[in-house]
């Protein structure tokens, strides 16, 4: 409440300064006025010459925090950012989370495919893709995705492979494969050899 008048006066003098709009958006959001905060961010983005991904991400999160939040509208805000900035991973990641949350799995898979087009590292995306494919009942595709993730991990240089996040990711992929195999989804065709990672 005390910060608001200072920001208002600043914007009266410098209405073309995008950061002022972002700051007022932060103030309004902190006051629980999430929709109004998102509107201020929209105005700031309209005026910003070089907006950053976090500006679009914060606007989307403000919209998601509103009492009458509409997931489609939040996704549209993220897509607006990616249309202007390209397939930024932070925006894609939140969009995938929202697609999964609303059980729009095909949308999530499409966004993961887009992420893998532009990401130099695919192992995390492949595991997430496998997780979603399991939810859709596409077990064979899920198995292929987990195996591809393990192959990608095996191809990493030791300095990347021997890290806690990658070790956890590898365990998760192996555990998912074991679960699917125990459920009867991991059987192989006659003569098909087992990948080296699963031996």
């Amino acid at each position: 409440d005390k910060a608001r008048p200072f920001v208002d006066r600043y914007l009266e003098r410098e209405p073309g300064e995008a950061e002022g709009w972002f700051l007022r958006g932060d103030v309004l959001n902190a006051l629980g006025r999430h929709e109004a905060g998102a509107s201020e961010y929209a105005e700031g983005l309209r005026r910003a010459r070089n907006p950053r991904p976090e500006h679009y991400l914060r606007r989307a999160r403000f919209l998601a925090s509103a009492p009458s939040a509409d997931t489609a509208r939040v996704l549209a805000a993220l897509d607006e950012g990616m249309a202007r900035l390209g397939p930024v991973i932070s925006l894609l990641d939140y969009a995938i989370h929202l697609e999964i949350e609303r059980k729009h799995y095909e949308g999530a898979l499409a966004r993961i495919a887009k992420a893998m087009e532009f990401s130099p590292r695919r192992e995390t995306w492949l595991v997430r893709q496998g997780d979603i494919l399991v939810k859709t009942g596409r077990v064979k595709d899920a198995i292929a995705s987990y195996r591809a993730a393990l192959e990608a991990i095996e191809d990493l240089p030791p300095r990347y492979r021997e890290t806690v996040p990658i070790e956890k990711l590898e365990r998760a992929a192996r555990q998912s494969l074991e679960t699917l195999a125990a459920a009867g989804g991991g059987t192989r065709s006659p003569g098909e050899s087992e990948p080296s990672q699963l031996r």
Side-chain angles (χ1 to χ4, degrees):
D1 284 329
K2 291 181 180 179
R4 173 74 187 272
F6 293 102
V7 180
D8 288 344
R9 287 198 293 272
Y10 174 74
L11 279 172
E12 286 174 8
R13 295 195 304 270
E14 303 288 345
E17 179 54 60
E19 288 297 331
W21 295 93
F22 297 144
L23 183 57
R24 187 155 67 185
D26 290 335
V27 169
L28 291 171
N29 182 69
L31 291 170
R33 297 178 58 191
H34 309 297
E35 186 78 34
S39 295
E40 297 295 302
Y41 260 73
E43 185 62 27
L45 287 166
R46 190 178 71 80
R47 296 171 183 269
R49 292 183 180 178
N50 298 298
R52 299 190 297 275
E54 57 263 34
H55 292 142
Y56 285 98
L57 189 60
R58 288 178 71 82
R59 178 191 173 206
R61 292 192 182 281
F62 291 173
L63 289 170
S65 298
S68 57
D70 178 1
T71 302
R73 190 175 172 211
V74 180
L75 285 167
L78 294 168
D79 287 333
E80 181 183 321
M82 287 184 276
R84 187 169 179 181
L85 303 179
V88 178
I89 295 302
S90 61
L91 301 181
L92 264 173
D93 188 62
Y94 188 36
I96 291 165
H97 167 77
L98 292 172
E99 296 281 26
I100 294 171
E101 194 174 65
R102 68 174 184 166
K103 294 182 169 52
H104 186 208
Y105 299 128
E106 293 305 319
L109 289 170
R111 290 179 185 277
I112 287 177
K114 175 67 71 176
M116 287 196 288
E117 284 181 25
F118 294 92
S119 178
R121 298 270 299 275
R122 304 175 71 228
E123 60 275 0
T124 300
W125 297 116
L126 286 163
V127 171
R128 291 182 72 180
Q129 179 176 261
D131 293 343
I132 297 169
L133 288 166
V134 169
K135 293 178 185 294
T136 66
R138 293 159 61 183
V139 175
K140 289 184 178 179
D141 290 338
I143 289 170
S145 193
Y146 290 131
R147 286 177 174 171
L150 290 172
E151 289 172 1
I153 290 169
E154 191 173 78
D155 288 340
L156 289 173
R159 68 180 182 278
Y160 294 129
R161 189 171 64 247
E162 296 168 2
T163 61
V164 172
I166 293 299
E167 288 174 354
K168 288 176 65 176
L169 188 70
E170 183 177 2
R171 283 197 300 272
R174 290 184 185 280
Q175 185 174 5
S176 295
L177 282 170
E178 289 170 4
T179 299
L180 292 174
T187 56
R188 294 182 298 282
S189 302
E192 181 184 352
S193 62
E194 189 177 50
S196 60
Q197 300 93 321
L198 302 180
R199 289 175 187 158

